[in-house]
Amino acid sequence: MYKRVLLKLSGEALAGKSGTGIDPETVDKVVCQLVELNKAGVQVAIVVGGGNFWRGRQGVAMDKVTADHMGMLATIMNSLALQDAIEKKGVPTRVQTALSIPAVAEPFILRKALRHFECGRIVIFACGTGNPYFTTDSGAALRAAEIKADVLLMAKNVDGVYDSDPKTNPNAKKYTELSYMDVINKNIAVMDFTSVTMCMENSIPIVAFGLSEENSIIRAVSREQIGTLIHR
């Protein structure tokens, strides 16, 4: 198994079939796997998006910086919900934010995050990079590089990376393996190019897989053939 992993969860994934808000059943399925990995000695970090509460400007004529900061606040709500669900199963958890909100979470401090891993805690990173114009994918790649994660796990609503949208194209081809440059050169929509480049420069493999598959997170951490592997 990988020893230290960073799991990127989209906000929509936590919403379940409704697409908005937080679905308790979906959260419980995710949390049960995270708790099992923690008990197996895997150091787990999480970056969660906020798309189930707020997604960009949502068609409103709003300043981009304002909209992005609203998205960062949405990630805090999801992070606190995950923290609560994990700790109810007996695993200590810390939320660290890129924006300073000390009343609800710690500020991001790398040394403290590493210490939390040593103490057997799960660490949740909220607010992406803390800067507008950067996605939570970029935040996930950045934190994965900082904590020296063995792998970046991208839990998605589809079971891997395809050459076109499998929801609209029944003949879409699923990739089992890609190089970083394949993703960039073929303009494959798995994560933004800033994130892919950062992972490439730091030799962090990416595994994109379907969150809804049975025990998908555990299987990905166990290096089973699941989803799509993106590496050198």
Side-chain angles (χ1 to χ4, degrees):
M1 300 177 79
Y2 292 111
K3 298 300 182 184
R4 179 179 294 171
V5 304
L6 190 141
L7 172 66
K8 166 60 170 56
L9 289 169
S10 68
E12 292 91 333
L14 297 182
K17 295 179 180 179
S18 68
T20 60
I22 297 172
D23 177 54
E25 183 178 347
T26 301
V27 170
D28 186 67
K29 288 180 179 178
V30 171
V31 165
C32 285
Q33 294 181 73
L34 299 178
V35 168
E36 185 173 336
L37 290 171
N38 175 269
K39 291 180 178 179
V42 179
Q43 296 177 346
V44 179
I46 306 166
V47 168
V48 61
N52 51 328
F53 290 116
W54 179 258
R55 191 166 186 85
R57 304 182 202 185
Q58 298 185 325
V60 180
M62 178 181 289
D63 178 71
K64 170 67 172 172
V65 174
T66 300
D68 283 356
H69 278 121
M70 291 176 67
M72 293 178 207
L73 296 178
T75 70
I76 294 174
M77 291 191 285
N78 284 333
S79 297
L80 293 177
L82 280 174
Q83 180 184 44
D84 181 74
I86 294 169
E87 292 195 333
K88 281 180 177 176
K89 294 187 182 296
V91 176
T93 309
R94 295 292 184 272
V95 174
Q96 293 195 340
T97 61
L99 295 179
S100 181
I101 310 180
V104 297
E106 301 176 355
F108 170 69
I109 300 173
L110 177 58
R111 287 181 179 271
K112 289 191 73 171
L114 298 178
R115 180 58 180 162
H116 290 323
F117 291 140
E118 293 172 0
C119 294
R121 300 173 185 133
I122 291 175
V123 183
I124 305 171
F125 299 120
C127 300
T129 67
N131 299 290
Y133 294 96
F134 288 90
T135 66
T136 48
D137 284 352
S138 295
L142 175 62
R143 296 293 181 248
E146 288 177 308
I147 67 172
K148 294 181 172 56
D150 297 324
V151 66
L152 172 55
L153 306 175
M154 300 288 293
K156 294 182 166 292
N157 291 326
V158 293
D159 63 347
V161 180
Y162 287 77
D163 61 354
S164 59
D165 189 348
K167 295 179 181 178
T168 58
N169 179 13
N171 297 316
K173 174 188 173 184
K174 178 182 174 181
Y175 298 107
T176 58
E177 190 171 344
L178 289 165
S179 71
Y180 303 112
M181 292 308 300
D182 284 336
V183 174
I184 295 170
N185 292 334
K186 296 179 181 180
N187 196 25
I188 298 173
V190 55
M191 59 197 304
D192 65 74
F193 293 161
T194 300
S195 311
V196 176
T197 301
M198 188 174 297
C199 289
M200 179 173 64
E201 291 176 345
N202 292 279
S203 300
I204 302 170
I206 305 163
V207 179
F209 61 95
L211 183 63
S212 62
E213 294 185 55
E214 189 70 21
N215 290 323
S216 58
I217 301 173
I218 293 174
R219 291 165 60 196
V221 175
S222 301
R223 302 180 190 245
E224 283 190 30
Q225 177 59 57
I226 182 172
T228 305
L229 172 65
I230 302 168
H231 60 157
R232 62 184 185 278

